[in-house]
């Protein structure tokens, strides 16, 4: 048994050495590209934190707000994504590529080296985007940490390390350019969303974000599919084309399921919660009464409270909507009182 283990160990090491030896020498000088071990360690630490350590640390803590940090983070990624798209276009897709069978330029020409640089930058942006989930954990947004989210954020960087290492450019880089284009829109939306209620009226197109992502996967799969109908293609790494096609198709299925659950069945729309007084409130920021006024008094709302709003009956006839001690609306009654000084429970 020991001999078999040792033999397997030697074989595994030989396979590892063979795979690492195939990495493009032009890429080796970039950070984290000398070996897949550092990249794999980063992703394992990410999974450990978001699935175990983070939730345990936040269990008895209040969620962090992180408004300013999130605004800066999202708009930083907007700028980075715009730059990546531009570099992909200038490195080949808007200059010398045919958009069909485009081989990897393995030379050291300025344009080829420019493609190597932007391919690595695209991969590194996936490492930066791990912060998406870190923010969810720190803000205790557990509902956002889905299988789709975790799988996408961990699988993408791991596979793209090999894509950049072996084929920095050519036909296989199409989906990287499309993905960065989508991220310009996506992180712009997230940045506006993080900026606060003043910008909510500009976010009516949230539903179409998923449609844009679905379009992305269709384009990626179609572009890869044409490879199978070509008489000949000089692209050096057909395995990457197979993986890109499977990636586009698989994520199209996952995002389609999300679309159905969220917008057809409505399972991810705002749900009712119950506050500490048993009042029904809604996560979309609108406050609904938790009781009925006395029959000779009518209640008029002139304000709203957010999802944690609590309505208190007071002796002076003013009912304040508060959230964590802040007031943003009030309701008052004609007779200045409620039944026995309290609201009847809904």
């Amino acid at each position: 048994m020991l001999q078999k283990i040792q033999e397997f160990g030697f074989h595994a090491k030989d396979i590892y050495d063979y795979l690492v030896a195939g990495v493009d020498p032009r890429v080796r000088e970039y950070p984290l590209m000398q070996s897949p071990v550092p990249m794999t360690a980063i992703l394992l630490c990410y999974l450990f934190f978001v699935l175990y350590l983070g939730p345990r640390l936040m269990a008895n803590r209040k969620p962090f707000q992180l408004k300013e940090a999130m605004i800066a983070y999202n708009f930083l990624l907007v700028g980075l994504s715009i730059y990546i798209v531009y570099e992909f276009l200038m490195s080949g897709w808007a200059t010398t590529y045919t958009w069909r069978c485009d081989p990897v330029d393995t030379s050291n020409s300025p344009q080829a080296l420019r493609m190597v640089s932007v391919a690595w930058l695209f991969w590194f942006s996936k490492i930066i985007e791990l912060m998406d989930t870190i923010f969810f954990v720190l803000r205790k947004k557990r509902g956002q940490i889905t299988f789709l989210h975790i799988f996408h954020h961990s699988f993408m960087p791991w596979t793209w390390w090999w894509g950049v290492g072996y084929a920095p450019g050519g036909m296989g880089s199409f989906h990287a350019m499309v993905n960065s284009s989508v991220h310009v829109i996506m992180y712009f939306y997230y940045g506006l969303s993080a900026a606060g209620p003043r910008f909510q009226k500009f976010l009516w197109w949230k539903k179409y974000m998923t449609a844009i992502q679905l379009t992305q996967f269709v384009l990626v799969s179609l572009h890869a599919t044409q490879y199978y109908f070509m008489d000949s293609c000089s692209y050096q790494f057909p395995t990457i084309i197979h993986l890109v096609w499977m990636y586009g198709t698989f994520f199209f299925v996952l995002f389609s399921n999300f679309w159905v659950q969220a917008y057809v069945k409505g399972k991810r729309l705002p749900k009712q919660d119950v506050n500490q007084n048993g009042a029904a409130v809604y996560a979309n920021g609108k406050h609904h009464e938790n009781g009925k006024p006395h029959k000779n008094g009518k209640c008029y709302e002139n304000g709203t409270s957010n999802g944690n709003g609590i309505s208190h009956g007071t002796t002076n006839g003013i009912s304040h909507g508060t959230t964590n001690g802040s007031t943003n609306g009030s309701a008052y009654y004609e007779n200045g009182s409620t039944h026995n000084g309290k609201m009847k429970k809904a």
Side-chain angles (χ1 to χ4, degrees):
M1 177 65 72
L2 180 60
Q3 183 179 0
K4 290 183 178 181
I5 292 175
Q6 290 175 338
E7 289 177 356
F8 176 77
F10 285 125
H11 289 311
K13 186 177 183 304
D14 291 340
I15 294 172
Y16 171 81
D17 291 340
Y18 173 79
L19 291 174
V20 173
V23 173
D24 192 313
R26 299 173 302 171
V27 183
R28 288 181 182 274
E29 63 186 52
Y30 287 91
L32 302 175
M33 293 304 299
Q34 291 74 34
S35 165
V37 173
M39 169 270 298
T40 304
I42 290 172
L43 295 177
L44 289 176
C45 290
Y46 160 78
L47 291 173
F48 177 72
F49 179 82
V50 301
L51 296 177
Y52 178 76
L53 181 61
R56 286 179 65 88
L57 292 175
M58 295 300 299
N60 297 318
R61 290 180 170 86
K62 292 182 179 180
F64 292 97
Q65 297 304 315
L66 304 175
K67 177 181 177 179
E68 292 77 11
M70 290 179 61
I71 293 174
Y73 166 77
N74 285 302
F75 284 108
L76 172 67
L77 282 176
V78 169
L80 180 61
S81 298
I82 291 174
Y83 177 75
I84 290 173
V85 173
Y86 175 77
E87 286 297 296
F88 269 124
L89 290 171
M90 293 299 101
S91 300
W93 287 102
T95 54
T96 58
Y97 282 16
T98 65
W99 295 67
R100 298 198 72 231
C101 177
D102 295 298
V104 178
D105 184 351
T106 58
S107 72
N108 288 317
S109 68
Q111 189 173 40
L113 294 178
R114 191 175 184 178
M115 178 62 80
V116 170
S117 177
V118 70
W120 175 85
L121 186 59
F122 171 78
W123 170 78
F124 189 71
S125 73
K126 301 300 123 184
I127 300 297
I128 297 174
E129 289 168 13
L130 297 179
M131 285 300 300
D132 289 3
T133 325
I134 305 299
F135 280 128
F136 286 149
V137 172
L138 296 179
R139 297 171 63 228
K140 301 183 77 168
K141 300 289 185 179
R142 297 179 183 177
Q144 303 291 339
I145 306 175
T146 61
F147 167 78
L148 173 59
H149 178 89
I150 294 291
F151 184 78
H152 180 70
H153 277 69
S154 55
F155 180 77
M156 182 78 168
W158 196 87
T159 55
W160 242 92
W161 188 94
W162 299 98
V164 172
Y166 277 82
M171 187 179 182
S173 65
F174 174 78
H175 83 284
M177 183 180 65
V178 175
N179 182 253
S180 295
S181 302
V182 170
H183 280 200
V184 172
I185 304 171
M186 187 178 76
Y187 283 104
F188 180 73
Y189 170 86
Y190 291 156
L192 287 180
S193 179
R198 292 181 302 170
F199 296 90
Q200 294 299 314
K201 60 183 178 181
F202 301 113
L203 302 179
W204 53 267
W205 44 281
K206 175 181 179 181
K207 177 178 180 179
Y208 301 101
M209 282 302 307
T210 306
I212 293 171
Q213 290 173 317
L214 287 171
T215 303
Q216 167 193 196
F217 300 126
V218 170
L219 291 175
V220 167
S221 295
L222 287 177
H223 181 263
T225 299
Q226 65 178 332
Y227 174 83
Y228 304 108
F229 296 94
M230 295 177 184
D231 295 332
S232 63
C233 181
S234 56
Y235 182 73
Q236 302 96 316
F237 304 96
T239 300
I240 291 179
I241 297 299
H242 305 327
L243 291 174
V244 167
W245 186 89
M246 288 189 291
Y247 170 84
T249 304
F250 180 67
F251 277 99
F252 177 81
V253 172
L254 288 180
F255 274 79
S256 296
N257 179 66
F258 173 84
W259 175 279
V260 171
Q261 298 300 323
Y263 302 114
V264 177
K265 296 184 178 180
K267 291 184 178 181
R268 291 180 62 87
L269 297 178
K271 296 179 181 180
Q272 276 190 323
D273 291 322
V274 177
N275 68 18
Q276 61 188 12
N277 289 344
V281 294
Y282 287 79
N284 63 0
K286 294 184 179 180
H287 171 65
H288 292 257
E289 298 143 324
N290 62 348
K292 297 178 181 179
H294 192 269
K295 61 183 179 180
N296 27 355
K298 297 181 180 179
C299 174
Y300 300 90
E301 291 188 12
N302 64 353
T304 59
S305 66
N306 70 14
N308 293 326
I310 300 173
S311 178
H312 299 278
T314 60
T315 56
N316 62 0
I318 300 176
S319 175
H320 297 279
T322 64
T323 301
N324 297 329
S326 62
T327 303
N328 63 1
S330 63
Y332 47 91
Y333 301 85
E334 289 180 353
N335 62 356
S337 64
T338 58
H339 183 66
N340 293 329
K342 299 181 179 180
M343 304 284 285
K344 291 183 179 180
K345 292 185 178 179

